[in-house]
């Protein structure tokens, strides 16, 4: 691990100033991903600004029935929070599907959004990777890409975003609150992460020195669920995951908000599927059509073509579960 | 940097570089070798300890970040019922993963006692009441054993779980000291 300096921030403005003032500075929260990257040589900052003790560790109720989650709230505390479990079961389920008990006890809400891909070539500094070293090339396209993207990828990068939590937050229309040198701004989680395009090294739309302070979850979504498909029963990243929030009108789908995980460089909002479902009679035919509509634009590689039917089936299963059908 | 820790009930002041992990500081600076270095990348759970009452991976925590922390390792748990149950049920073979398994089990029982749900809990809105084998397996999923002592580990944890009334213990309560 390269040596670096360490500072513990006492307030958000000071943390922002410290990182913004040094192009080789980074924020450190739980560190469950960053410390690993320091060991692997994927990240070599000059300065780490520790934001884990900032007073951003509260879950507060908002007037519309939603909640504001501080950026330093631990994943385990968020998953166990009564308001999350009652009003946003999809979020509790997604958090509990991620990582292990030990990691959830340390990982934070803000850090989870900023965790980086587990593409093996990104993590192995001896191999070319455009995300780690722009212009180096992509080893995954012609190599091992079982976990790679099937939607929205580019010739530069086929990496997937690894978060479960963020997939649920996209389906919940959550909004990220960030603080920068010029003040605060809000970014919908759905627009927070980027597709790779020509700049796969940029995971998010954040500017250097901008600090996540909270995530707002509007309203409530009691009829919601998360389903994760992975290669072992626990403690593995998603091959494919589905987060869905459904509103019913008798036997018809009034609204559906759907996001897919494990399929793209960002949590993938399934707008085509949502559109196909609006007003449709709830049932397998409509669910399958909606899934097909979304996945029509998929362009898998040879080693991950299985993700297309897997995503379709997982989506149909979640919609069935949420509309009272049989599994 | 100078940091202060309480490790297994004993107070320490130590000087560490920012890049030193909690795991390395425990083993190399303080000689607490019950925390094991397995994968050193957060994948095996052998380095699990209780930091301020919560089970965490010491290989992914920087020592400077945990300044002021109270750390309990398997050594400090001593004659904890979980440690005894592991012996009674032969919940280990080579024993290398055992300290991490024991700390993880103690942390996990406290989480369950607070009613925390898990990935296999049917209804996340309901409090967990009692731990079946599926719950134990899921909650211990972050600890790997290469020998495959899992069956006996589950039996050991179940025995202790059944002895405790639900919601009786708080996070930093019995066992964490």
């Amino acid at each position: 691990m390269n040596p670096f300096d360490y500072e513990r921030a006492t307030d958000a403005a000071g943390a922002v100033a410290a990182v913004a003032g040094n192009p080789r500075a980074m924020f450190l929260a739980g560190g469950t991903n960053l410390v690993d990257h320091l060991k692997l040589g994927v990240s070599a900052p000059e300065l780490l600004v520790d934001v884990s003790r900032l007073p951003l560790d509260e879950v507060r109720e908002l007037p519309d029935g939603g909640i504001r989650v501080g950026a330093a709230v631990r994943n385990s505390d968020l998953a166990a929070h009564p308001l999350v479990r009652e009003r946003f079961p999809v979020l509790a389920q997604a958090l509990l599907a991620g990582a292990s008990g030990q990691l959830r006890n340390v990982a934070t809400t803000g850090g989870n959004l900023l965790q980086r891909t587990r593409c093996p070539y990104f993590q192995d500094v001896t191999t070319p990777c455009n995300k780690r070293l722009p212009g180096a090339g992509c080893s995954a396209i012609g190599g091992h890409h079982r976990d790679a993207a099937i939607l929205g990828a580019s010739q530069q990068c086929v990496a997937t975003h690894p978060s479960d939590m963020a997939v649920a937050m996209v389906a919940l229309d959550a909004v990220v609150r960030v603080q920068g040198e010029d003040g605060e701004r809000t970014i919908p989680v759905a627009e927070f992460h980027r597709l790779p395009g020509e700049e796969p090294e940029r995971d998010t739309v954040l500017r250097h020195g901008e600090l996540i302070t909270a995530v707002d979850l509007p309203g409530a979504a009691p009829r919601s669920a998360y389903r994760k498909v992975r290669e072992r029963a626990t403690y593995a990243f998603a091959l494919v995951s589905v987060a869905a929030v459904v509103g019913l009108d008798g036997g018809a789908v009034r609204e559906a908000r759907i996001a897919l995980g494990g399929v793209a460089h960002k949590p993938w909002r399934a707008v085509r599927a949502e559109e196909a479902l609006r007003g449709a009679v709830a049932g397998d035919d409509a669910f399958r059509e909606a899934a097909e509509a979304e996945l029509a634009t998929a362009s898998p590689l040879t080693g991950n073509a299985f993700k297309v039917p897997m995503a379709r089936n997982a989506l149909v299963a979640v919609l069935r579960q949420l509309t009272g059908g049989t599994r | 940097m100078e940091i202060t820790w309480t490790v297994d009930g004993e107070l320490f002041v130590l000087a560490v570089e920012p890049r030193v992990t909690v795991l390395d500081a425990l083993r190399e600076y303080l000689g607490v070798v019950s925390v094991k270095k397995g994968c050193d990348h957060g994948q095996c759970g052998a380095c699990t300890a209780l930091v301020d009452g919560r089970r965490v991976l010491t290989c992914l925590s920087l020592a400077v970040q945990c300044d002021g922390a109270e750390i309990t390792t398997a050594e400090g748990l001593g004659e904890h019922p979980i440690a005894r149950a592991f012996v009674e049920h032969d919940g280990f073979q080579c024993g290398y993963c055992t300290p991490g398994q024991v700390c993880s089990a103690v942390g996990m029982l406290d989480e369950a006692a607070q009613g925390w749900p898990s990935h296999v809990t049917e209804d996340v809105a309901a409090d967990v009441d009692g731990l079946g084998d599926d719950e134990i397996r899921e909650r211990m999923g972050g600890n790997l054993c290469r020998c495959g002592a899992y069956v006996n580990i589950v039996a050991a944890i179940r025995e202790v779980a059944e002895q405790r009334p639900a919601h009786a213990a708080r996070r930093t309560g019995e066992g964490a000291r």
Side-chain angles (χ1 to χ4, degrees):
Chain A
M1 208 188 297
N2 288 322
F4 51 82
D5 291 327
Y6 169 90
E7 264 175 39
R8 189 176 299 139
T10 49
D11 58 65
V16 168
V19 171
N22 182 342
R24 294 196 52 209
M26 294 177 83
F27 294 115
L28 170 69
T32 53
N33 192 206
L34 181 53
V35 173
D36 195 25
H37 284 175
L38 300 177
K39 291 182 180 188
L40 294 169
V42 170
S43 294
E46 200 172 270
L47 169 68
L48 287 185
V49 177
D50 184 355
V51 294
S52 62
R53 297 196 195 188
L54 293 182
L56 301 171
D57 57 351
E58 267 185 311
V59 176
R60 261 193 295 156
E61 211 167 348
L62 297 172
D64 70 345
I67 56 173
R68 174 164 299 165
V69 182
V73 173
R74 307 282 149 170
N75 283 177
S76 51
D77 291 335
L78 188 58
H81 199 285
L83 288 176
V84 173
R85 289 157 66 180
E86 280 160 29
R87 296 181 191 174
F88 307 100
V90 64
L91 179 58
Q93 288 162 4
L95 285 160
L96 293 168
S100 65
Q102 291 99 313
L103 289 164
R104 290 192 296 269
N105 271 339
V106 176
T108 65
T109 305
N112 189 304
L113 289 174
L114 294 175
Q115 69 176 306
R116 308 203 69 191
T117 185
R118 266 38 174 219
C119 178
Y121 304 101
F122 174 74
Q123 300 206 103
D124 178 354
V125 295
T126 65
T127 61
C129 167
N130 286 323
K131 184 178 262 305
R132 186 167 24 76
L133 188 66
C138 173
S139 303
I141 290 173
H144 180 87
H145 50 246
R146 191 171 167 75
D147 298 327
I150 56 170
L151 290 160
S154 75
Q155 282 303 305
Q156 299 278 321
C157 181
V158 293
T160 52
H161 192 262
S163 172
D164 293 293
M165 184 197 79
V167 180
M169 285 183 172
V170 165
L172 290 170
D173 284 330
V175 174
V176 186
R177 306 179 72 86
V178 305
Q179 188 171 334
E181 280 192 300
D182 308 324
E184 294 182 59
R185 65 176 177 133
T186 56
I187 309 159
V189 179
E191 294 163 26
F192 184 79
H193 300 95
R194 298 175 67 255
L195 290 177
E198 299 291 313
E199 290 178 298
E201 70 278 13
R202 291 180 55 217
D203 292 353
T204 72
V205 300
L206 278 190
R207 295 187 279 263
H208 181 72
E210 279 187 315
L211 174 71
I212 299 173
T213 55
V215 176
D216 287 353
L217 305 178
R223 194 187 285 266
S224 65
Y226 188 72
R227 191 177 183 112
K228 180 174 180 176
V229 186
R230 49 185 161 182
E231 283 179 309
R232 59 184 189 198
T234 191
Y235 197 18
F237 290 96
L239 288 168
V240 159
S241 71
V242 178
V245 180
V246 172
L248 289 177
D249 227 340
V253 178
R254 188 180 70 248
E255 64 147 359
R257 285 179 277 149
I258 300 164
L260 305 176
V263 297
H265 202 248
K266 59 187 281 185
W268 185 266
R269 182 77 185 244
V271 286
R272 290 183 183 83
E274 293 175 2
E275 204 170 300
L277 283 168
R278 207 164 294 130
V281 176
D284 274 13
D285 289 346
F287 301 159
R288 224 170 274 130
E289 258 173 57
E292 300 286 3
E294 193 60 51
L295 293 162
T297 58
S299 50
L301 297 160
T302 50
N304 67 358
F306 69 92
K307 281 191 178 184
V308 178
M310 184 178 272
R312 180 195 61 214
N313 294 349
L315 177 51
V316 170
V318 169
L319 292 171
R320 237 186 240 159
Q321 176 192 337
L322 287 175
T323 55
T326 49
R327 273 170 194 239
Chain B
M1 291 180 70
E2 196 173 271
I3 60 169
T4 305
W5 276 354
T6 305
V7 180
D8 296 333
E10 210 179 323
L11 189 71
F12 294 94
V13 177
L14 57 167
V16 290
E17 247 194 278
R19 60 180 164 166
V20 175
T21 61
V22 173
L23 174 60
D24 287 342
L26 285 170
R27 289 182 62 87
E28 309 297 334
Y29 291 37
L30 302 182
V32 180
V33 292
S34 66
V35 279
K36 298 300 183 198
K37 185 177 280 198
C39 69
D40 205 27
H41 288 277
Q43 294 168 9
C44 76
C47 68
T48 302
L50 300 163
V51 174
D52 294 328
R54 288 173 169 240
R55 55 176 174 156
V56 309
L57 300 179
T58 55
C59 76
L60 292 183
S61 304
L62 296 177
V64 286
Q65 235 190 331
C66 298
D67 185 15
E70 189 159 332
I71 299 171
T72 305
T73 72
E75 223 169 302
L77 288 169
E79 289 289 299
H80 189 280
I82 278 287
R84 265 207 305 277
F86 267 64
V87 175
E88 275 159 28
H89 289 270
D90 192 13
F92 43 77
Q93 287 183 25
C94 89
Y96 194 84
C97 72
T98 310
Q101 300 269 11
V102 166
C103 286
S104 195
V106 170
M108 172 273 260
L109 288 175
D110 281 346
E111 291 162 10
Q114 293 175 75
W116 290 13
S118 84
H119 174 63
V120 299
T121 308
E122 193 69 31
D123 176 7
V124 288
D127 268 3
V128 170
D129 215 354
L131 289 179
D133 286 358
D134 286 349
E135 285 282 359
I136 293 171
R137 284 195 192 98
E138 163 61 24
R139 290 163 191 262
M140 293 298 291
N143 292 75
L144 305 189
C145 165
R146 291 190 188 186
C147 315
Y150 297 128
V151 175
N152 296 347
I153 290 170
V154 169
I157 296 171
R158 193 182 52 223
E159 182 186 275
V160 177
E162 283 166 359
Q163 288 163 358
R164 315 183 142 196
H167 309 292
R170 299 310 304 172
R171 176 181 296 154
T172 53
E174 59 173 293
R177 293 286 94 74

